[in-house]
Amino acid sequence: MVDVKYLRTELRFPPELRHPIHRLIDESDAVDRDVLLHGTVFQEQADTFLFYVEGDIDVYTDALRSVDRIREFEVTRIDEAGHYVFLTQRRDAVDEAMFAPLQRAGLVVVPPVDFRSNGIARLTLIGNGETLRDALAELPSGIETNVLRIGEYDWRQDLFDPGLTDRQFDALAAAVEGGYYDAPRRASVEDVGERIGASPSTASEHLRKAESAVMAAFMELREFP
């Protein structure tokens, strides 16, 4: 049986391969966040996408109107800063070269895709090791890949993944199971250390780092639509 892996990767596009809207993120302070939530790619030469956008939506939509291959779009306001942008665009050669390696049997692209400044896009892929390696190797020349994380796939990571190390997770699990976080507290840091075979100071360090990672991930989750 082949283990299914998840791979969190960062792609860096050179200027000549960046979509005009991705260039806008680099060139303007008007857009704080541009996230591809869902997309439909068929054999025909037009694709449909749903984006979440934070920032000055007027600047963003003006940029959309200036891109010839964007056929139509619709904007839905969520709150003062956030909007959904539903658009259809004509595929170009860069799109074809990007989509082809990622559209293969044994590979799933898990949304969202987070577009950032400096031509960076972050995304998650699921498949076996060989399929993942082949997909990254076949991306267009000039796109740099940086693997941020790889491991056994667990669907719950898509909901909330603070990126704990194994020892941090063990310490946190021992603390929860032992009642360290109960009120009143039923376990001490010494108890946590004993459960994981570590000194109190080491257990305390694992807990502090785990707690920091969990809270940071939680706040990022809360900021997401």
Side-chain angles (χ1 to χ4, degrees), residues 61-72:
T61 53
D62 284 346
L64 290 178
R65 293 187 185 95
S66 70
V67 181
D68 291 339
R69 64 194 187 93
I70 294 180
R71 294 183 174 180
E72 57 186 1

Side-chain angles (χ1 to χ4, degrees), residues 47-111:
D47 307 306
T48 302
F49 301 109
L50 176 66
F51 286 86
Y52 170 73
V53 178
E54 282 184 1
D56 189 329
I57 196 63
D58 292 331
V59 173
Y60 191 90
T61 53
D62 284 346
L64 290 178
R65 293 187 185 95
S66 70
V67 181
D68 291 339
R69 64 194 187 93
I70 294 180
R71 294 183 174 180
E72 57 186 1
F73 66 88
E74 182 176 341
V75 176
T76 301
R77 178 176 175 176
I78 303 171
D79 51 35
E80 291 184 0
H83 297 76
Y84 289 127
V85 177
F86 186 74
L87 65 84
T88 299
Q89 71 173 18
R90 186 179 68 255
R91 198 177 311 158
D92 69 359
V94 175
D95 292 334
E96 292 283 6
M98 270 295 302
F99 294 156
L102 303 179
Q103 291 180 306
R104 63 176 67 207
L107 184 69
V108 175
V109 179
V110 181

Side-chain angles (χ1 to χ4, degrees), residues 14 19 21 43 47 49-50 62 70-71 99 107 110 114 118 128 140 143 148 151 156 164-165 175 183 185 202-203:
H19 190 282
I21 303 302
Q43 293 300 320
D47 307 306
F49 301 109
L50 176 66
D62 284 346
I70 294 180
R71 294 183 174 180
F99 294 156
L107 184 69
V110 181
D114 193 359
N118 299 317
N128 63 50
I143 295 179
L148 303 176
R156 292 168 294 186
L164 303 182
T165 67
R185 180 168 287 174
T202 299

Side-chain angles (χ1 to χ4, degrees), residues 101-102 104 107 128-139:
L102 303 179
R104 63 176 67 207
L107 184 69
N128 63 50
E130 182 178 357
T131 303
L132 293 170
R133 286 192 299 272
D134 289 346
L136 294 181
E138 293 175 19
L139 290 173

Side-chain angles (χ1 to χ4, degrees), residues 23 44 53 83 97 101 108 127 137 142 150 152 170 172 206 218-219 225:
R23 287 200 292 269
E44 59 195 56
V53 178
H83 297 76
V108 175
I150 188 168
E152 302 297 330
D170 290 344
L172 205 57
H206 287 323
F218 176 73
M219 292 309 297

Side-chain angles (χ1 to χ4, degrees):
M1 178 177 178
V2 177
D3 291 333
V4 176
K5 303 283 187 182
Y6 86 97
L7 184 148
R8 182 69 174 164
T9 188
E10 184 177 88
L11 307 181
R12 185 185 295 270
F13 292 76
E16 65 273 14
L17 296 184
R18 294 175 196 171
H19 190 282
I21 303 302
H22 204 171
R23 287 200 292 269
L24 173 68
I25 299 172
D26 286 329
E27 298 168 358
S28 172
D29 295 330
V31 180
D32 299 319
R33 197 166 191 190
D34 186 30
V35 183
L36 173 60
L37 301 179
H38 299 285
T40 302
V41 179
F42 292 113
Q43 293 300 320
E44 59 195 56
Q45 294 300 306
D47 307 306
T48 302
F49 301 109
L50 176 66
F51 286 86
Y52 170 73
V53 178
E54 282 184 1
D56 189 329
I57 196 63
D58 292 331
V59 173
Y60 191 90
T61 53
D62 284 346
L64 290 178
R65 293 187 185 95
S66 70
V67 181
D68 291 339
R69 64 194 187 93
I70 294 180
R71 294 183 174 180
E72 57 186 1
F73 66 88
E74 182 176 341
V75 176
T76 301
R77 178 176 175 176
I78 303 171
D79 51 35
E80 291 184 0
H83 297 76
Y84 289 127
V85 177
F86 186 74
L87 65 84
T88 299
Q89 71 173 18
R90 186 179 68 255
R91 198 177 311 158
D92 69 359
V94 175
D95 292 334
E96 292 283 6
M98 270 295 302
F99 294 156
L102 303 179
Q103 291 180 306
R104 63 176 67 207
L107 184 69
V108 175
V109 179
V110 181
V113 179
D114 193 359
F115 291 95
R116 304 189 173 203
S117 59
N118 299 317
I120 289 174
R122 288 185 176 178
L123 67 155
T124 299
L125 305 175
I126 299 174
N128 63 50
E130 182 178 357
T131 303
L132 293 170
R133 286 192 299 272
D134 289 346
L136 294 181
E138 293 175 19
L139 290 173
S141 175
I143 295 179
E144 300 177 11
T145 60
N146 177 29
V147 175
L148 303 176
R149 193 178 309 154
I150 188 168
E152 302 297 330
Y153 179 64
D154 183 341
W155 69 273
R156 292 168 294 186
Q157 291 166 332
D158 295 328
L159 303 178
F160 185 75
D161 180 13
L164 303 182
T165 67
D166 290 342
R167 291 297 283 167
Q168 290 167 3
F169 180 86
D170 290 344
L172 205 57
V176 171
E177 292 168 2
Y180 180 79
Y181 293 108
D182 289 357
R185 180 168 287 174
R186 297 189 296 107
S188 66
V189 71
E190 288 80 7
D191 296 325
V192 173
E194 184 176 349
R195 280 172 170 261
I196 65 172
S199 68
S201 61
T202 299
S204 177
E205 181 180 3
H206 287 323
L207 286 177
R208 284 197 305 271
K209 290 182 177 179
E211 290 162 1
S212 175
V214 167
M215 295 310 295
F218 176 73
M219 292 309 297
E220 183 175 342
L221 183 69
R222 294 284 293 176
E223 291 171 1
F224 200 75

